Amino acid sequence: MFQGSLPALVTPFRDGAVDYAALERLVDWHVAEGSHGLVAVGTTGESPTLTHAEHEEVVASVVRFAAGRLPVIAGTGSNNTNEAIRFTQHAERVGADGALVVTPYYNKPTQAGLIAHFRALHDCAGLPIIIYNIPGRSAVDMSVETMAELARLPRIVGVKDATGDLDRVCRQRMLCGPDFLQISGEDATAHGFNAQGGRGCISVTANVAPRLCAEMQEACLANDYARALSIQDRLMPLHKAIFAEPGLVGAKFGLSVLDLCEPDTRLPLVGLTEGTKARVRDAMRHAGLIN
């Protein structure tokens, strides 16, 4: 169910509130552009600054707007296990197809703590769970051995790997098995990640260039890595420009250039500098997204 290009969907704002009309436009646009699924209220969806009520309403809205046309993975992670259980159970109730659960951030659990956390989430609902391993933000790295132990649970189906370590893809494949779904969490290395055994990317850049990202992933799934590389060459300047500052800010600016939503973010994030705005526009031209 989960493979290919899976945009980590931004949460559009207008005048400080969630802009649900823009959110519906974005979902329809991703369907039309060929995205293979959507991730609602991940970090790129500004989960740290949404209220619990907003978090749940955005997930429910994306599921409703998608209307079965694309699978929807709900971001349900937290560094509070009970809070993550609440979000996961809510996602199941409103019809999400899966849950993306980040390793608990800031409180730095041990590997035993990670196993207990993810086992509790596995047992609380019937949704398939994708582990989100991003040690650069969470300050904890799930070891390959821990992931292999969790992979034995029937509803722990895969990982969004944002370590940037392509060697790890092979090691995880060896210990977790070839059916354990490995999805890149880093746009710039997604092509190489797939060559090592990955099956897609939960992508920030796909917010702005969904068709190109989908075509690149489809080429990889078809083992046409030469074609995938030619598409990646078009996308690479955009990957770098979007992440010159926080990626969701770059993605929202790119969407504003396309008149799809406002560039608004919530503090402590602020708008792009003028230099980065110019860089994003240049990269969008390079990719053929604007003239």
Side-chain angles (χ1 to χ4, degrees):
M1 180 181 292
F2 309 131
Q3 65 177 11
S5 179
L6 306 165
L9 195 63
V10 301
T11 300
F13 299 130
R14 182 184 289 272
D15 299 325
V18 177
D19 185 347
Y20 288 100
L23 184 62
E24 185 171 12
R25 285 197 302 274
L26 290 176
V27 172
D28 288 341
W29 187 56
H30 281 293
V31 172
E33 291 290 293
S35 293
H36 302 114
L38 294 170
V39 176
V41 199
T43 312
T44 303
E46 292 181 75
S47 56
T49 54
L50 295 181
T51 66
H52 287 179
E54 287 173 330
H55 182 129
E56 292 176 349
E57 181 56 32
V58 170
V59 169
S61 296
V62 172
V63 171
R64 185 170 67 254
F65 297 151
R69 295 175 294 172
L70 291 176
V72 175
I73 302 168
T76 66
S78 173
N79 63 345
N80 176 332
T81 302
N82 287 333
E83 185 176 274
I85 287 172
R86 166 187 168 164
F87 286 146
T88 302
Q89 291 176 337
H90 170 267
E92 183 175 39
R93 284 197 305 273
V94 300
D97 299 288
L100 178 67
V101 179
V102 68
T103 49
Y105 38 87
Y106 191 80
N107 40 16
K108 298 181 73 173
T110 62
Q111 298 299 304
L114 290 175
I115 290 169
H117 176 79
F118 278 92
R119 187 181 293 277
L121 291 169
H122 171 274
D123 293 346
C124 83
L127 286 180
I129 291 173
I130 297 173
I131 298 163
Y132 182 12
N133 193 27
I134 182 165
R137 290 198 182 197
S138 67
V140 61
D141 185 5
M142 181 180 287
S143 72
V144 176
E145 292 75 18
T146 295
M147 195 167 296
E149 182 167 342
L150 289 170
R152 297 190 185 101
L153 299 173
R155 289 185 298 280
I156 303 287
V157 300
V159 60
K160 175 187 176 183
D161 189 315
T163 65
D165 179 4
L166 297 184
D167 172 79
R168 187 181 296 224
V169 187
C170 296
R171 290 188 286 122
Q172 287 169 170
R173 182 178 172 86
M174 291 174 64
L175 289 186
C176 299
D179 293 332
F180 187 70
L181 182 65
Q182 297 198 65
I183 299 175
S184 173
E186 188 180 82
D187 279 295
T189 59
H191 175 272
F193 187 98
N194 286 342
Q196 296 282 77
R199 298 289 295 173
C201 182
I202 294 177
S203 168
V204 177
T205 302
N207 279 285
V208 181
R211 186 174 297 278
L212 282 177
C213 289
E215 289 175 351
M216 196 276 282
Q217 290 295 332
E218 287 166 4
C220 289
L221 289 168
N223 289 317
D224 189 350
Y225 281 94
R227 179 170 178 268
L229 185 58
S230 70
I231 300 170
Q232 180 76 334
D233 287 344
R234 290 175 62 186
L235 287 169
M236 183 57 77
L238 188 58
H239 297 327
K240 303 302 287 185
I242 283 175
F243 283 97
E245 296 180 37
L248 74 90
V249 184
K252 280 190 165 180
F253 174 75
L255 285 167
S256 75
V257 171
L258 298 172
D259 294 322
L260 287 166
C261 75
E262 298 298 316
D264 303 12
T265 59
R266 286 182 175 170
L267 291 173
L269 298 180
V270 296
L272 296 183
T273 62
E274 291 303 315
T276 303
K277 288 179 181 178
R279 187 174 172 186
V280 171
R281 284 195 183 96
D282 287 345
M284 291 174 72
R285 291 188 191 96
H286 176 84
L289 303 177
I290 59 174
N291 296 323

